[in-house]
């Protein structure tokens, strides 16, 4: 069941990334790979830190969520590498 949700979220992320690349807001990159990486980062970043035992306040939750959002945005809007070993999928 968990893989079903990850796959669905990955498809949403990939669609957003492709739209961002097309509009010029995101660097050219392999949207499918980046989407999969973001899904993994989100799920892994939230498993321990957001469990009820580890986060005690709404402020701590907000800080964690903002950090994950910042990471995700830097992953897609950063400059494309000068020489990429893998050509982006279209």
């Amino acid at each position: 069941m968990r893989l079903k949700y990850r796959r669905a979220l990955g498809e949403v992320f990939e669609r957003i990334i492709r739209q961002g690349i097309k509009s010029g807001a995101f660097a050219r990159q392999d949207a499918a790979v980046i989407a999969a990486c973001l899904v993994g980062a989100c799920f892994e970043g939230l498993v321990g830190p957001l469990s009820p035992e580890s986060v005690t306040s709404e402020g701590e939750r907000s800080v964690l969520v903002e950090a994950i959002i910042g990471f995700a945005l830097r992953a897609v809007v950063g400059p494309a590498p000068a020489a990429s070993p893998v050509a982006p999928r279209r």
Side-chain angles (χ1 to χ4, degrees):
M1 184 61 103
R2 189 174 61 203
L3 289 177
K4 177 182 174 181
Y5 291 115
R6 284 180 179 238
R7 192 172 297 116
L9 186 56
E11 290 170 2
V12 171
F13 284 177
E14 184 176 351
R15 190 168 42 251
I16 292 168
I17 293 166
R18 287 186 189 287
Q19 291 170 352
I21 292 168
K22 185 176 180 179
S23 74
F26 297 165
R28 262 190 88 214
Q29 55 198 306
D30 188 320
V33 170
I34 300 305
C37 291
L38 289 175
V39 168
C42 287
F43 276 91
E44 294 305 316
L46 294 173
V47 170
L50 282 185
S51 67
E53 299 82 30
S54 63
V55 178
T56 58
S57 73
E58 187 62 36
E60 288 177 324
R61 284 186 199 93
S62 294
V63 168
L64 177 62
V65 170
E66 289 298 320
I68 292 170
I69 291 169
F71 167 79
L73 288 173
R74 286 188 302 276
V76 295
V77 299
S84 178
V86 178
R89 296 182 213 177
R90 294 185 190 241

